[in-house]
Amino acid sequence: MEGSEALSQVYFMVTKPSPSLCYPPEINSQTIPACRTYDYMSYLKHFLGDRIQFPVLILHYSASFSELLSYTACRQLSQMFLAIIFFHTSEYFLALAIHGRSSVTLKSLLISKNYVLAMIFSFLEYLIEIILFPELKEWWVVSDLGLALIMIGEIIRKMAIITAGQSFTHLIRVHHDEHHQLITHGIYRFIRHPGYCGFLIWSVGTQIMLCNPISTIAFAAVVWHFFADRIPYEEYFLRQFFGAQYQEYAKQVVSGVPFPVATLPISFVICIRACVEHGKKSMVGLDGGQH
């Protein structure tokens, strides 16, 4: 009953506005668009009767939606779009500058089907929550923290790419070549995989900035799981390429992604070796080379 009464009140207010609300002294319906809308709705109500109720409610909630897409949504969504555009275009142009046009494809934009689906899910969550729970998006301290994480993640990742130079690729190297060197200076003095670390911070930061609680947890879990599989696979080859030098480096420097890589099962290593030998393993993802 309470829901029905509230709905009736909304309907009554939209279709039969109070004269004191819409027509204060020296103001008429021609000067206030909202009042003209109410006038039109009243006329439609007169001619169409109860059939106008549903369209009126749609109009009412459309107006509320437009109201919500004001400063809060414009600021957060514009920051999100700029973060995405900058991340992908900078990845592509850095790859061009380091490796040359002949060695770079559109895959260097790092846009995959799963990535697109994840971003669509995050935008859908944002739109649903800003309509149903608009106060959730007003936590500016949380949103600004997310924006700071986006910038920190970008800086860490781009420092990794620039420092590693030709040793950084978007494919994991399974064969050693002359350009591939073990990088231990710069940001690599503190983090073994700063490229992965930067992307993890960046991706989670985008969802914190949007105040998306579900996507924040989902992005953190999915990206963490991806790197939990990818880092042991990559480090297997780094140990093959650089031997004791990499072993010593790995003991002294943290991976940058919070999980124990040293507990890699022997069976997994054997599986990797078998897959590589039979050509069944092809990893194309967010990074390659040394990160």
Side-chain angles (χ1 to χ4, degrees):
M1 289 299 293
E2 292 181 1
S4 300
E5 290 175 4
L7 206 59
S8 299
Q9 289 177 4
V10 171
Y11 168 69
F12 181 80
M13 290 174 64
V14 174
T15 58
K16 297 183 180 180
S18 167
S20 62
L21 174 64
C22 282
Y23 305 107
E26 300 180 356
I27 296 180
N28 56 46
S29 64
Q30 299 302 314
T31 61
I32 301 181
C35 292
R36 290 202 299 273
T37 301
Y38 292 146
D39 275 347
Y40 299 151
M41 293 302 102
S42 298
Y43 292 139
L44 289 172
K45 166 67 177 174
H46 175 74
F47 288 109
L48 300 179
D50 291 336
R51 286 175 294 175
I52 191 61
Q53 181 171 355
F54 183 67
V56 166
L57 290 175
I58 292 178
L59 179 64
H60 170 74
Y61 287 114
S62 296
S64 299
F65 183 74
S66 298
E67 195 173 299
L68 291 172
L69 288 179
S70 56
Y71 176 75
T72 299
C74 286
R75 173 178 163 178
Q76 290 173 335
L77 290 177
S78 62
Q79 288 175 171
M80 181 65 173
F81 283 122
L82 287 173
I84 292 173
I85 291 170
F86 179 81
F87 175 82
H88 293 287
T89 55
S90 61
E91 291 281 328
Y92 182 76
F93 285 113
L94 278 173
L96 279 179
I98 294 172
H99 299 287
R101 185 177 297 274
S102 59
S103 303
V104 176
T105 67
L106 290 178
K107 289 181 180 179
S108 295
L109 285 170
L110 303 183
I111 299 176
S112 64
K113 178 181 176 181
N114 291 335
Y115 175 83
V116 171
L117 290 175
M119 285 300 176
I120 291 174
F121 178 84
S122 73
F123 282 118
L124 287 177
E125 180 190 351
Y126 184 86
L127 293 176
I128 292 170
E129 289 174 351
I130 200 170
I131 294 171
L132 299 180
F133 313 105
E135 65 281 355
L136 182 65
K137 305 303 179 183
E138 300 292 339
W139 295 356
W140 288 112
V141 173
V142 175
S143 185
D144 290 342
L145 172 63
L147 182 59
L149 290 175
I150 290 173
M151 292 188 287
I152 291 171
E154 274 284 10
I155 291 170
I156 292 174
R157 183 171 173 83
K158 295 310 184 279
M159 287 177 65
I161 295 174
I162 294 169
T163 302
Q166 290 191 340
S167 294
F168 191 104
T169 64
H170 289 113
L171 298 174
I172 290 179
R173 284 193 172 108
V174 296
H175 301 289
H176 190 253
D177 62 52
E178 59 181 7
H179 298 297
H180 193 190
Q181 300 176 353
L182 179 62
I183 309 298
T184 59
H185 63 276
I187 194 169
Y188 290 88
R189 290 176 56 194
F190 311 101
I191 307 173
R192 291 204 310 275
H193 300 281
Y196 295 151
C197 175
F199 181 80
L200 177 61
I201 295 172
W202 180 89
S203 61
V204 175
T206 60
Q207 301 312 304
I208 295 176
M209 188 265 295
L210 292 178
C211 297
N212 280 354
I214 298 174
S215 291
T216 297
I217 297 171
F219 271 51
V222 170
V223 175
W224 178 88
H225 185 269
F226 176 81
F227 290 142
D229 288 338
R230 187 177 177 88
I231 287 179
Y233 175 75
E234 178 180 336
E235 291 203 330
Y236 168 78
F237 291 104
L238 290 173
R239 286 183 171 89
Q240 298 297 309
F241 299 156
F242 303 109
Q245 184 185 4
Y246 189 82
Q247 291 279 17
E248 187 64 26
Y249 172 67
K251 289 178 182 179
Q252 297 176 357
V253 181
V254 297
S255 71
V257 178
F259 64 89
V261 224
T263 58
L264 181 63
I266 294 296
S267 59
F268 184 69
V269 175
I270 295 173
C271 179
I272 290 174
R273 187 192 296 270
C275 288
V276 171
E277 288 175 354
H278 292 85
K280 296 179 180 178
K281 188 72 175 178
S282 177
M283 290 284 288
V284 177
L286 295 168
D287 294 308
Q290 183 191 351
H291 322 94

